[in-house]
Amino acid sequence: MLKQSAEPLDLMFQALADPTRRRMVERLTQGSASVSELAAPFDMSLPAVVQHLQVLEQSGLVTTQKVGRVRTCTIDPGALSFAEKWINDRRIGWERRLDRLGTFLDSLPDDPDKVAK
């Protein structure tokens, strides 16, 4: 089971580290599904699927609602946006660093013998 963490982002990435849970998230991006529908493509017991869903729910990526005997799962797009923003912030920082490196390299003379020592 997932270790408890104070950071929602940590829980999200820990939940997404498992390929089964990633496949469940991919399926839920197409629309809501019952637990039975989510379990269908997997060769595992229903309790195991429910454990995966609990991890996704604890991470904030998935919400569930029980109506009668059917539990329906839905993706939370806001949670995905939170992870996407974190990743994009890192990407932008690295792009800026690489741009500065490119500018520096462009300022160097083409002939290495002309570089001042």
Side-chain angles (χ1 to χ4, degrees), residues 36-89:
S36 298
E37 290 171 329
L38 283 175
F42 299 105
D43 185 25
M44 64 177 69
S45 68
L46 200 55
V49 170
V50 169
Q51 283 184 335
H52 281 295
L53 287 171
Q54 287 173 342
V55 171
L56 290 169
E57 196 169 13
Q58 289 170 357
S59 75
L61 289 165
V62 171
T63 58
T64 62
Q65 180 180 14
K66 189 170 185 177
V67 178
R69 297 177 71 184
V70 178
R71 181 168 296 280
T72 303
C73 305
T74 307
I75 195 81
D76 180 355
L80 289 174
S81 295
F82 182 63
E84 180 183 28
K85 181 186 178 322
W86 185 88
I87 290 169
N88 281 335
D89 288 348

Side-chain angles (χ1 to χ4, degrees), residues 2-47:
L2 194 63
K3 292 181 183 177
Q4 290 297 346
S5 171
E7 295 295 324
L9 194 59
D10 292 345
L11 291 174
M12 219 172 288
F13 283 124
Q14 287 172 347
L16 292 171
D18 183 86
T20 299
R21 291 191 287 266
R22 284 195 307 272
R23 284 183 54 202
M24 289 178 176
V25 167
E26 286 176 25
R27 164 53 187 90
L28 290 172
T29 60
Q30 299 169 11
S32 298
S34 70
V35 173
S36 298
E37 290 171 329
L38 283 175
F42 299 105
D43 185 25
M44 64 177 69
S45 68
L46 200 55

